[in-house]
Amino acid sequence: MTTTLNGIPNCDTVKKARKWLEAHGIEHGFRDFKKDPPSADEVGGWADAAGWEVLLNKRGTTFRKLDEGDKADLGQEKAIALMVQHPSLIKRPVLEHEGGLLVGFKEPEWKDELC
């Protein structure tokens, strides 16, 4: 399995993650959610691996702009459907690597998993 960084290129956190990967000599591909959105199966797999609560970015403007009905009674199935419909709801970056999945960029966690 190759290492793939999933996100949005102009996201500051994704930029930091890309620089970190490059600085540590970790070869990786990049997938832009805007140009190549993840499928329901992919988002479901990420949710199973990391937890949908971790994967869903409730702090961003996309979540804040959702209708109250969309935000109510959130469970895994509804959250996955929303993330597929609005990829910006996915916490970035999502790093798929041989050892598993990392969501968000936390340098100590990445160092433990990847170095």
Side-chain angles (χ1 to χ4, degrees):
M1 176 184 196
T2 59
T3 300
T4 303
L5 186 70
N6 297 277
I8 298 170
N10 62 349
C11 171
D12 288 339
T13 308
V14 170
K15 288 178 186 177
K16 286 178 194 173
R18 288 176 95 168
K19 284 182 183 177
W20 187 91
L21 289 168
E22 289 165 11
H24 288 82
I26 299 170
E27 289 188 31
H28 63 283
F30 179 73
R31 177 187 188 183
D32 182 348
F33 282 166
K34 298 285 187 183
K35 294 179 181 173
D36 185 14
S39 69
D41 286 343
E42 286 175 291
V43 176
W46 296 342
D48 288 343
W52 70 265
E53 299 93 340
V54 171
L55 195 60
L56 180 65
N57 180 9
K58 292 184 178 179
R59 295 171 56 177
T61 56
T62 304
F63 186 80
R64 289 193 298 264
K65 289 180 181 180
L66 288 175
D67 293 335
E68 290 304 315
D70 286 337
K71 295 181 200 177
D73 301 320
L74 271 177
Q76 182 162 329
E77 193 173 308
K78 186 175 182 180
I80 290 169
L82 286 170
M83 288 185 271
V84 169
Q85 185 179 3
H86 306 283
S88 295
L89 288 173
I90 301 170
K91 185 171 186 172
R92 299 176 299 269
V94 174
L95 184 75
E96 297 172 289
H97 63 97
E98 199 170 293
L101 186 78
L102 293 167
V103 178
F105 178 64
K106 297 177 186 106
E107 188 172 344
E109 184 181 326
W110 282 42
K111 195 170 192 172
D112 287 347
E113 290 246 0
L114 301 171
C115 295

